[in-house]
Amino acid sequence: MPEWKLIDTNTWPRYDHFRHFTDNAPCTIWLTDDIDVTEIYEACERAGRSFYITVLYAVAKVINSHDEFKMNAVDSPEFPCLMPAVWDRVDPVHNVFHPEKETYTSTFTLYDPDFETFYSHAEEDIARAGRLTAMSVPAGENTFEASALPWRHFNSVGAVSEGISLSPIVVWGKFIERCGMRQLPLSIQISHAAADGYHLARFLNEVEATLRSLANEI
């Protein structure tokens, strides 16, 4: 079972930032940029692998590598205010599109650091969701949102909702060929209480590096 632990607010460098963007100025930040997927796309084509699942794995791996993307806001009578905590693991919730109805079913895949294990689980989850008509498969609290928009290349994407959600929303779109490279738009959105621009930029850099590394393994 997934578990969370409270962050030690006496030693956490971002606690003042967390309090400010939780209590005084709640807001969401996001960052979108193109990443180079030339090598990993060609590797997936050669190996007969799903490019979508491969990107999903890289995203989940980087998300699970950093506490700021695994945060949980604990609301309990024993605390005077919302307190920050970190899940030991977060799983991607992702959508399976039903083209005949122009709807989707949200499913989730248990994160596993082993690529082959994650890939196998994701294949099963996608196949199962493809047979369903429900809007979603029940998932746990330890999740983050991941979506693909393969119909368009975009420069920015975002969603605004009420309340405080510390879970990231990650979206990628259709890659384009430019200067001999395949460039994929990748976006991450999160509460400013959890992360700053530095963390979002690092996420994009590390997903690109993870995919480049995977190209030599699959």
Side-chain angles (χ1 to χ4, degrees):
M1 292 290 292
E3 298 181 351
W4 54 263
K5 63 178 180 180
L6 288 173
I7 294 175
D8 184 351
T9 57
N10 293 314
T11 61
W12 187 34
R14 289 199 76 259
Y15 183 58
D16 288 343
H17 301 72
F18 174 84
R19 282 268 67 90
H20 175 70
F21 289 113
T22 299
D23 303 333
N24 304 321
C27 63
T28 299
I29 58 172
W30 60 79
L31 180 64
T32 304
D33 201 1
D34 288 336
I35 63 170
D36 181 10
V37 296
T38 306
E39 295 179 21
I40 189 62
Y41 181 79
E42 293 174 353
C44 287
E45 288 285 285
R46 289 194 301 269
R49 295 282 194 167
S50 165
F51 178 68
Y52 168 78
I53 294 178
T54 304
V55 173
L56 183 66
Y57 167 78
V59 166
K61 181 177 181 180
V62 175
I63 290 289
N64 275 277
S65 298
H66 298 287
D67 285 350
E68 64 266 18
F69 299 136
K70 299 188 293 180
M71 289 183 59
N72 178 28
V74 179
D75 188 4
S76 172
E78 62 184 294
F79 305 125
C81 54
L82 286 173
M83 296 297 290
V86 175
W87 291 104
D88 60 353
R89 184 195 81 236
V90 289
D91 304 317
V93 168
H94 51 110
N95 302 325
V96 176
F97 186 60
H98 304 302
E100 69 284 355
K101 297 181 179 180
E102 297 184 357
T103 61
Y104 64 88
T105 295
S106 287
T107 187
F108 72 97
T109 296
L110 294 176
Y111 172 67
D112 193 291
D114 179 72
F115 173 70
E116 296 295 341
T117 302
F118 180 89
Y119 190 97
S120 177
H121 289 168
E123 281 190 315
E124 295 173 1
D125 298 331
I126 291 169
R128 186 181 304 112
R131 298 190 294 268
L132 300 177
T133 57
M135 180 177 175
S136 61
V137 174
E141 296 181 80
N142 62 315
T143 58
F144 71 94
E145 298 279 346
S147 296
L149 298 175
W151 308 282
R152 291 288 299 188
H153 181 273
F154 54 76
N155 296 316
S156 181
V157 65
V160 178
S161 61
E162 296 182 357
I164 298 173
S165 175
L166 301 179
S167 300
I169 298 175
V170 179
V171 184
W172 61 95
K174 179 181 180 180
F175 69 72
I176 59 173
E177 296 192 27
R178 180 188 293 150
C179 300
M181 297 190 304
R182 292 182 173 91
Q183 297 183 326
L184 182 82
L186 178 63
S187 176
I188 181 169
Q189 170 180 322
I190 197 169
S191 167
H192 209 344
D196 302 316
Y198 167 81
H199 305 102
L200 304 191
R202 181 171 64 186
F203 166 81
L204 296 178
N205 290 338
E206 291 189 0
V207 170
E208 186 173 46
T210 299
L211 289 170
R212 188 177 298 113
S213 178
L214 276 172
N216 298 318
E217 300 174 10
I218 64 175

